[in-house]
Amino acid sequence: MPISTSPETDVHGDRIKRYRPTARVLHWLTVLLLVMQFPIGLYMVYRGPGQNVWDVVTNTLYAGHKSIGVVVLVLAVTRLVYRLSVGAPAPAQTLPAWQALVSQLNHWSLYALLLIVPSLGYLAINYFPALVIVGPIALPAIVAPDRAMYARVIDWHGIGAGILAMLIALHVAAVLYHRLIRRDEVLARMLPGSTS
């Protein structure tokens, strides 16, 4: 599928094939939410189950984590539908074949986990149950309460979040490598602010 490009060139004089503006906005919104979500999740677990502190702060952390999780799931579905319908630029010309393959595997694994991890979180709060976000606002129930299943699913959610964090770290390390060492166009393809 055709992908819009900008007239900018990289250090080698090759034209940079950028992601479309919509793809870039969805990407950076996801980044912003995950930057909030991981520390909120860790701190709420530290305060709640870890320190047995169940107060307004802990409840607010849980409410925020659930709310952001729902938004991340909606964004992930939107991104996947957009990616499958619109496509993406071909791998950067500077990437060796093995790096392009690893990049593709990492990208699709990230898509999968951005769907799986919040889905497991939602399933877990159904089993607990803890569907209330704030005041009278609650998420819809999809299964009957079951504390044994909650314990399993919340563990899977945590494991999935850990794997997601590792894949994100790999993704960021690759971006920094291309930006600081290779000095090629890989990061420029996803940077906001350019026209395409």
Side-chain angles (χ1 to χ4, degrees), residues 5 23 32 52 69 77 85 105 144 146 154 166 169 176 182-183 192:
T5 59
L32 176 64
N52 200 29
V77 171
S85 60
L105 289 173
D146 184 331
I154 201 67
M166 287 188 287
L176 291 175
R182 292 291 300 272
R183 297 185 181 275

Side-chain angles (χ1 to χ4, degrees), residues 56-133:
V56 173
V57 173
T58 304
N59 290 336
T60 301
L61 291 168
Y62 271 90
H65 190 74
K66 289 185 278 188
S67 302
I68 294 171
V70 170
V71 178
V72 168
L73 181 58
V74 170
L75 271 177
V77 171
T78 304
R79 289 184 68 182
L80 184 61
V81 170
Y82 185 83
R83 174 73 181 262
L84 293 175
S85 60
V86 176
Q93 296 177 0
T94 55
L95 258 63
W98 72 269
Q99 286 186 15
L101 176 61
V102 171
S103 174
Q104 288 297 309
L105 289 173
N106 185 265
H107 275 97
W108 288 110
S109 297
L110 285 170
Y111 274 115
L113 285 167
L114 285 171
L115 294 169
I116 292 168
V117 172
S119 295
L120 287 172
Y122 180 47
L123 188 58
I125 62 173
N126 270 266
Y127 280 127
F128 189 79
L131 293 165
V132 175
I133 297 176

